Amino acid sequence: VAPHSSTLKALGARQYHVASVLCQRAKVAMSHFEPNEYIRYDLLEKNINIVRKRLNRPLTLSEKIVYGHLDDPANQEIERGKTYLRLRPDRVAMQDATAQMAMLQFISSGLPKVAVPSTIHCDHLIEAQLGGEKDLRRAKDINQEVYNFLATAGAKYGVGFWRPGSGIIHQIILENYAYPGVLLIGTDSHTPNGGGLGGICIGVGGADAVDVMAGIPWELKCPKVIGVKLTGSLSGWTSPKDVILKVAGILTVKGGTGAIVEYHGPGVDSISCTGMATICNMGAEIGATTSVFPYNHRMKKYLSKTGRADIANLADEFKDHLVPDSGCHYDQLIEINLSELKPHINGPFTPDLAHPVAEVGSVAEKEGWPLDIRVGLIGSCTNSSYEDMGRSAAVAKQALAHGLQCKSQFTITPGSEQIRATIERDGYAQILRDVGGIVLANACGPCIGQWDRKDIKKGEKNTIVTSYNRNFTGRNDANPETHAFVTSPEIVTALAIAGTLKFNPETDFLTGKDGKKFKLEAPDADELPRAEFDPGQDTYQHPPKDSSGQQVDVSPTSQRLQLLEPFDKWDGRDLEDLQILIKVKGKCTTDHISAAGPWLKFRGHLDNISNNLLIGAINVENGKANSVRNAVTQEFGPVPDTARYYKKHGIRWVVIGDENYGEGSSREHAALEPRHLGGRAIITKSFARIHETNLKKQGLLPLTFADPADYNKIHPVDKLTIKGLKDFAPGKPLTCIIKHPNGTQETILLNHTFNETQIEWFRAGSALNRMKELQK
């Protein structure tokens, strides 16, 4: 069901969801849950053919899918890395922490229904504490108000709702919604997981999701394409996780920015579909727009096993459009021989610090990292497939046969209710319990800081090893002294059994209960269950056909939810005498800007969550976190308190950042909070893609130093004036005047990546304000 046609006409949007009404050779539903929403390979084919004639060259797979979803393929200007594309995604997915703000923004838009199939997934608000069932019951009780809001908002506006306990959003998408050639956007940075099924799945902020749900063409800078050619085949202890750990070591945390990573080559066929999803999922850690694999028999097998053989058959018919053209050009090419690839472990504190498992122990000794592993954790959206659990169980079974259990604590997070039920049925879960593991709820848990950890005190130096994707300082347990390492589930299991980073399962021996030495054999496990998947409990809520009587209540006294007020419109003048709230030193991820963990409960309440603004960022003035100078009182205090002081006294402010500012999660709260507390601009050496877009959506100015060395010219006590906003135009730098306390001034240039549409967002005060202007 689409919004009012008059509204969409004004917005330049389609007036109906074309997948519902245009015919094709075979009508195949996008999912079991939306029987009247069809896959449009015929439209994809038509658009690809139009673009192919225009460009007159072979196309990469990424280009086929992206350009195949252009709003106007005949006239769209296309230049990799430069032009902005107007796209028509097939669907939207939101996790519960980001869905709150996305749905609050959609409610503010005044539109009656979403224009494309959309879903909400409850996975972020369940804290790991005692174990699956108990933790789930506790989460339902604590978060009842939020879950009720999301369920009723979904019912009101036509959004499918996956209840808490269903599983992690990306695993649910892989099992039910992703398919070869789909263009899907999700309000979580690990949405690229769906690339394992041959889709272009991109993480965005909630405001972008609102655009798509409103039926407005979605804008994306035309991505470059990085090719990763895989040869050889995986074997032994080497896993799909090692592919992306190796790539992360090559490209670093920002090497994929502005690009889609496209895997190809003969080695692809040695990787399972869920293994390909693992690789694409963690592509978020190199800043890539997304990652994708070409359609092959491993994907067909997975589609069939998850009840979607009809989609696989249709994909076979259109396969030429679901693989790259021969002779296509990549902006950068990396080659990896899988036969030579060794098991890797990355960390600590950053996901691109790559080590072969064989070497990490000696590196840790040299660097003074704790060798004893306190906890091993497997699962997460990256590595919680049936195959992952089977390979971990195969390792655990060997230890049990010699009378051993894990020396480290050990936790297991199933990716979905379907995975949980199936590994229970097939005995994997019991093997992992027998070796000392605790099976947690089907949720994100410790991966995102939802971990009530009791075995250490904050500030205690320790090591953990996980099969997660991200290992920023304090991310998992809020302890800045936790050295977190990322590797495959089977390596985590082996290391948890050995209890030390010095253990290399390829060469080292363990001592059994009988005193005899033995070596673990490389794990072998089924890619998919031999029997059908056990679906487990039914946890899906369909939106009703008639939602006219559905109410969505937000209490004005709620501490968890808060209806949004429009941000103020630009006053038409330059930004003069901006106070510097903080000059950030070094890495500043969205975890630093808007912490997760205990703050997740405020994701639907902008004013309350703004109390975590930049509390993790390091202030260059004193080398401390959450301690900045108040320019009026000259006293040092918390960042949010200082920002609120400035706002109360009408002082507009700016943040100065370092490289790759906003790396990490897609959370738009990292953009909403500075806007809410009076921020006007963020000036950095460079931005992570999603965060830069989120800042633009909320009416802030993300600007970069034309000369990165100018970062050193600005001091926390200076004031800045940004000039040139009256003539704000794409590609035209702005001027910044630095006013030093001694009365001297310097002038520098600031670059930006705004296009005409985004400049309109700034002038209107936000993208949502602009949408409302167009409706009027």
Side-chain angles (χ1 to χ4, degrees), residues 458 472-475 478 480 581-596 599 609-620 622-628 637-640 655 661 667 670 673:
K458 190 167 184 177
F472 302 143
T473 302
R475 177 176 174 85
L581 176 66
I582 181 173
K583 182 180 179 183
V584 177
K585 178 183 179 181
K587 185 186 283 281
C588 189
T589 71
T590 47
D591 280 354
H592 295 88
I593 304 166
S594 177
W599 293 94
I609 199 169
S610 293
N611 289 321
N612 75 3
L613 175 65
L614 286 158
I615 60 175
I618 300 301
N619 180 9
V620 74
N622 56 12
K624 295 180 179 180
N626 203 25
S627 175
V628 295
V639 182
V655 170
Y661 184 90
R667 69 191 67 151
E673 292 174 33

Side-chain angles (χ1 to χ4, degrees), residues 40 64 182 189 228 263 314 352 365 436 458 462 558 588 633-634 636-637 657 749 756:
R40 293 301 320 279
K64 289 181 180 182
V182 70
S189 56
V228 179
Y263 294 86
L314 189 65
D352 59 346
E365 280 186 317
K458 190 167 184 177
N462 74 103
S558 172
C588 189
T633 67
Q634 294 301 308
F636 281 85
L749 290 179
E756 291 287 1

Side-chain angles (χ1 to χ4, degrees), residues 93-96 119-124 162 167 169 172-173 177:
M94 300 168 279
Q95 42 94 335
D96 51 353
T119 50
I120 294 169
H121 304 259
C122 294
D123 62 359
H124 270 56
W162 288 83
I169 177 173
I172 298 290
I173 289 171
Y177 298 117

Side-chain angles (χ1 to χ4, degrees), residues 328-339:
C328 65
H329 170 71
Y330 295 103
D331 295 283
Q332 181 180 351
L333 185 63
I334 296 168
E335 295 193 33
I336 297 176
N337 185 338
L338 300 179
S339 300

Side-chain angles (χ1 to χ4, degrees), residues 460-625:
E460 183 180 343
K461 199 173 179 180
N462 74 103
T463 285
I464 65 173
V465 178
T466 82
S467 71
Y468 303 161
N469 43 49
R470 200 162 274 168
N471 60 345
F472 302 143
T473 302
R475 177 176 174 85
N476 303 121
D477 60 4
N479 179 13
E481 289 300 323
T482 293
H483 293 57
F485 293 84
V486 177
T487 185
S488 68
E490 52 265 45
I491 293 292
V492 171
T493 307
L495 292 178
I497 291 165
T500 175
L501 281 178
K502 293 258 321 169
F503 181 69
N504 176 11
E506 288 191 303
T507 58
D508 295 345
F509 288 80
L510 294 168
T511 302
K513 195 173 182 180
D514 59 3
K516 296 181 180 179
K517 292 187 178 296
F518 72 97
K519 196 167 80 167
L520 294 170
E521 297 296 324
D524 186 32
D526 291 332
E527 174 182 347
L528 295 163
R530 297 178 186 182
E532 297 304 309
F533 275 109
D534 183 339
Q537 299 178 40
D538 182 7
T539 55
Y540 179 71
Q541 172 188 291
H542 287 269
K545 290 182 179 179
D546 181 7
S547 61
S548 56
Q550 180 68 55
Q551 296 295 316
V552 182
D553 295 323
V554 176
S555 169
T557 59
S558 172
Q559 294 301 301
R560 299 287 301 270
L561 299 164
Q562 181 186 48
L563 291 174
L564 296 174
E565 295 291 332
F567 288 130
D568 59 308
K569 189 174 181 177
W570 177 55
D571 62 11
R573 294 180 292 185
D574 290 331
L575 297 173
E576 296 187 354
D577 292 330
L578 297 174
Q579 188 61 56
I580 296 169
L581 176 66
I582 181 173
K583 182 180 179 183
V584 177
K585 178 183 179 181
K587 185 186 283 281
C588 189
T589 71
T590 47
D591 280 354
H592 295 88
I593 304 166
S594 177
W599 293 94
L600 283 170
K601 61 179 173 285
F602 297 125
R603 284 284 180 86
H605 197 293
L606 179 54
D607 194 55
N608 281 346
I609 199 169
S610 293
N611 289 321
N612 75 3
L613 175 65
L614 286 158
I615 60 175
I618 300 301
N619 180 9
V620 74
E621 187 174 6
N622 56 12
K624 295 180 179 180

